[in-house]
Amino acid sequence: MATASTSSSLATAELPPLRAQDRTLQPSPDALGPLRRSDDAVDDPDELWRRLDADGYLYLPGYLDREEVLAARRDIATSLAAEGILDPGADPMLAVPGPSEHNRIFDDLAKASGPLQRVLYAGAMVRLYERMFGEPVRHYDYTWLRAVRPGRGTAPHGDSVFMNRGTPNLLTAWVPLGDVDLRLGGLMLLEGSNRLESVRRDYHTRDVDAFCESDEQAAELAREGRWSWNGVFSPDPVALRADLGLRWVTGEYAAGDVVTFPMYTLHGSLDNTSTRVRLSCDLRYQRASEPADPRWVGASPTAHGPASKRGLIC
């Protein structure tokens, strides 16, 4: 089976229908398509911005050094096996599910991993964003390291509602830590959704950590460091695509690939229909001269904890 670095085709006959949120994605060309490659324009920032605006993402297959990414995978997988997230009796590189269930982001393991830190926050990644922004850049100090077990993927959402207290000119990078075929289920993006002004005015102005002080239940959840709203744009990716008249784009990914997109692009992930754990990171870059969302910077980011909640008079 070809990896995304050589092909982004979705016409793989032996694969079952693609699923997201337990729903089967429509296979018609107007509903589902391959990612557009932009590795041909990686040294042309003007063209990269043009494609980013038009498509809502940039797909850069093979941009990172494959062996460095696999070294980071081994380091992270070894740590996950020690915690029982991966099977400690199996080769950690296989990412076989372990006995420990979990529902968290492994920012602590990301911080402790020198190989991962070098992949995400040095070298080629920094050069990419300095080239695009045309000035010094900074990244969030929090890393969304994910270990997704077989089952449902991430529901459709935009990043703005989780990190809109700083500059709106924020770019997400999604980095698979290993090869991700369609069964393992990687990132999918709603092509052109960044350009929907009605969605910007309504959904993208909301904040998952804001709550109405008059709502006693929401206030109690905030005190516990929980959400009264989970930030999901729609639980149904099939109906969402049809309602907005856009199409989902996705593909098979390889270690070394990068996808980057603005905070207004709606995205999620395919369900993991394999028997292994999908390992990936998402991270954020911005101009160093612009304000950063305080929830995600500093030695100990408050993330979505109680200190990040903001009471509003509604």
Side-chain angles (χ1 to χ4, degrees), residues 1-311:
M1 181 183 301
T3 67
S5 290
T6 58
S7 173
S8 58
S9 173
L10 298 179
T12 309
E14 67 270 21
L15 287 172
L18 300 186
R19 296 183 64 81
Q21 299 300 296
D22 289 331
R23 292 165 172 82
T24 300
L25 299 182
Q26 296 168 289
S28 60
D30 64 332
L32 182 65
L35 294 157
R36 176 185 183 182
R37 299 177 63 132
S38 286
D39 48 327
D40 62 315
V42 72
D43 293 318
D44 184 346
D46 290 339
E47 177 62 13
L48 290 178
W49 281 110
R50 190 189 70 77
R51 295 186 190 184
L52 193 69
D53 179 64
D55 300 334
Y57 69 93
L58 297 172
Y59 167 49
L60 304 174
Y63 177 74
L64 299 174
D65 183 275
R66 177 177 175 84
E67 294 308 314
E68 291 181 2
V69 174
L70 292 178
R73 174 185 175 87
R74 180 171 292 280
D75 190 59
I76 290 299
T78 299
S79 297
L80 290 171
E83 293 196 7
I85 305 301
L86 301 182
D87 183 350
D91 180 351
M93 292 295 277
L94 297 177
V96 176
S100 297
E101 296 285 345
H102 71 90
N103 184 27
R104 74 179 184 94
I105 306 300
F106 295 94
D107 173 61
D108 54 337
L109 299 187
K111 281 187 170 65
S113 174
L116 183 64
Q117 291 289 308
R118 287 190 291 274
V119 165
L120 301 182
Y121 301 124
M125 288 293 282
V126 173
R127 289 194 296 273
L128 172 65
Y129 291 102
E130 286 183 339
R131 187 181 306 123
M132 290 188 67
F133 285 122
E135 62 178 78
V137 296
R138 70 158 301 158
H139 58 80
Y140 281 177
D141 298 309
Y142 190 97
T143 303
W144 287 257
L145 170 60
R146 305 181 190 271
V148 180
R149 298 171 69 92
R152 282 189 180 185
T154 302
H157 67 280
D159 286 346
S160 61
V161 299
F162 301 99
M163 49 197 69
N164 57 10
R165 298 182 187 176
T167 177
N169 303 313
L170 184 71
L171 292 179
T172 290
W174 183 79
V175 177
L177 298 181
D179 298 341
V180 177
D181 65 17
L182 293 172
R183 291 187 182 90
L184 202 55
L187 178 71
M188 63 181 198
L189 306 105
L190 200 57
E191 187 179 49
S193 55
N194 58 303
R195 301 171 64 89
L196 298 174
E197 289 300 326
S198 61
V199 179
R200 285 206 189 198
R201 288 193 304 268
D202 299 328
Y203 171 79
H204 288 300
T205 59
R206 300 181 66 184
D207 183 334
V208 296
D209 290 317
F211 65 95
C212 292
E213 293 182 339
S214 59
D215 185 331
E216 294 183 2
Q217 182 179 15
E220 178 61 25
L221 291 173
R223 285 191 290 271
E224 297 172 358
R226 297 162 64 191
W227 295 329
S228 56
W229 172 57
N230 64 7
V232 170
F233 186 84
S234 169
D236 187 339
V238 175
L240 171 62
R241 185 220 66 76
D243 289 344
L244 296 180
L246 303 175
R247 69 173 184 166
W248 289 108
V249 291
T250 190
E252 298 192 306
Y253 301 94
D257 292 357
V258 175
V259 183
T260 190
F261 51 93
M263 63 196 303
Y264 301 117
T265 298
L266 300 177
H267 60 283
S269 69
L270 297 172
D271 292 347
N272 182 351
T273 60
S274 77
T275 58
R276 298 183 295 118
V277 175
R278 181 177 72 244
L279 302 180
S280 68
C281 284
D282 44 291
L283 52 144
R284 275 80 196 171
Y285 273 90
Q286 64 172 79
R287 293 181 177 90
S289 61
E290 295 182 345
D293 189 321
R295 289 172 286 189
W296 308 112
V297 296
S300 299
T302 58
H304 295 302
S308 293
K309 303 308 177 187
R310 177 182 289 174

